[in-house]
Amino acid sequence: AVTALLTVQQHVVFPSSPLASFGLPSARDAYNAPLEGIEGSVFVVGEPTSAGSPEVWGETLLANTWFLNDAKVANVYTPVGFDAYSERLCMNNRGETCAQALDALFSPVGDGELMLVDAMQINSIQIITPPVDRDTALSPRPGWSVVSEETFSVTWVRENPVELPGGVVMTSSGVELSGVESSESTVAFKVEAVAESGQSTVTFSRLAWPGYTTSAGQLTDPLDGMLLTLDLQGVQAGEVVEVSFAPPGWGAVRLLLVGSIVVVVAMQVTRWWSRRRIKQGQV
């Protein structure tokens, strides 16, 4: 009875959901259309929710609805943002950005050897218009081409495609690597040479979240406060290095899980043995 009364009260106070409704499609198949055929990593510049029309979802998507699409889009939902990354690209928790994110992508990182869009290994950029000016969206930067112009968006693609993010994107002078292999949680490579003097570093197209460890060398200050960087101090030529990620505390969690299973099994065996002895005593 109390639950029923409280439920009625909630519906009176909140006749509809307090969360925003963006008019996203209800049909699963509708999520296949945006960025169809686009390969490699994609970054979306702009705020599709400001379009004011549900037709925008025929061209782009929002937050985790990108997981219903084949495109590998960086703009997904996160309750825990990476400060330096979010601030530089003015990205909110739904993955939407301001118009200035386009210039930010083409701004230099570190000593200017690479632009951010290169360091992130972005292969395509979808630009929502507005907030980005239409003429700006139709004027791709050098090395990029317009492959799609639609009602609410313009899409650029690199003329020379790059691999998916996760690998090595920059090394300091004198550093030579070979056999670079990367997966979602690891990247490994062989060090062919290190600098004769000064610091030898390797930078990856990965955000420097807590939880990364290395088999050799040591992790150092992230490039521009966000890109994972490894100092090869103490690493010799010919050595294989593996950098891997696991959520902080994951090792302890696994030990506790195994321990809890052992305790439960021991309790059940003890209980079974005790009941068996009692039964034998009664007989």
Side-chain angles (χ1 to χ4, degrees):
V2 171
T3 300
L5 289 172
L6 291 176
T7 301
V8 170
Q9 182 188 24
Q10 290 173 24
H11 279 279
V12 170
V13 177
F14 301 106
S16 60
S17 171
L19 300 176
S21 175
F22 302 117
L24 286 156
S26 57
R28 171 63 180 84
D29 291 345
Y31 292 89
N32 297 329
L35 298 179
E36 186 174 6
I38 295 294
E39 298 181 355
S41 182
V42 184
F43 192 91
V44 179
V45 174
E47 299 174 275
T49 56
S50 65
S53 170
E55 294 180 3
V56 70
W57 308 125
E59 301 176 23
T60 191
L61 295 173
L62 179 69
N64 283 352
T65 57
W66 280 115
F67 289 120
L68 301 175
N69 185 281
D70 291 335
K72 296 174 175 60
V73 177
N75 309 64
V76 293
Y77 171 79
T78 175
V80 184
F82 197 102
D83 284 350
Y85 175 79
S86 299
E87 290 172 6
R88 184 156 181 173
L89 294 166
C90 53
M91 180 181 287
N92 64 24
N93 66 329
R94 295 193 298 262
E96 295 179 298
T97 76
C98 62
Q100 289 72 31
L102 185 60
D103 288 333
L105 285 172
F106 289 91
S107 63
V109 294
D111 59 6
E113 181 181 344
L114 290 178
M115 293 180 293
L116 181 58
V117 70
D118 302 319
M120 291 172 59
Q121 292 186 283
I122 299 299
N123 205 59
S124 302
I125 303 173
Q126 185 183 57
I127 304 169
I128 308 301
T129 58
V132 180
D133 179 74
R134 194 74 174 184
D135 290 338
T136 299
L138 290 172
S139 303
R141 305 296 173 93
W144 295 76
S145 300
V146 174
V147 295
S148 174
E149 180 185 357
E150 301 181 86
T151 304
F152 301 97
S153 65
V154 175
T155 302
W156 299 355
V157 171
R158 282 182 186 269
E159 294 171 358
N160 296 309
V162 294
E163 296 179 355
L164 286 171
V168 174
V169 291
M170 187 187 304
T171 59
S172 59
S173 178
V175 175
E176 295 181 16
L177 310 176
S178 65
V180 179
E181 297 181 357
S182 64
S183 65
E184 290 186 356
S185 60
T186 63
V187 56
F189 53 86
K190 182 179 180 181
V191 178
E192 298 291 350
V194 294
E196 295 182 359
S197 62
Q199 192 178 32
S200 297
T201 60
V202 180
T203 301
F204 309 90
S205 56
R206 297 170 178 261
L207 291 178
W209 290 103
Y212 274 103
T213 57
T214 178
S215 63
Q218 58 185 14
L219 297 174
T220 187
D221 293 337
L223 181 67
D224 281 16
M226 58 181 172
L227 293 177
L228 187 69
T229 302
L230 174 67
D231 186 345
L232 294 177
Q233 181 179 359
V235 178
Q236 303 297 318
E239 193 169 348
V240 175
V241 179
E242 181 176 285
V243 177
S244 57
F245 175 83
W250 182 236
V253 169
R254 286 186 294 181
L255 286 174
L256 288 170
L257 178 61
V258 172
S260 65
I261 293 173
V262 170
V263 169
V264 169
V265 170
M267 290 174 64
Q268 292 301 317
V269 170
T270 301
R271 181 169 179 267
W272 171 82
W273 181 253
S274 298
R275 293 182 64 181
R276 185 170 180 270
R277 293 196 57 176
I278 292 171
K279 185 176 182 179
Q280 288 176 344
Q282 290 175 345
V283 172

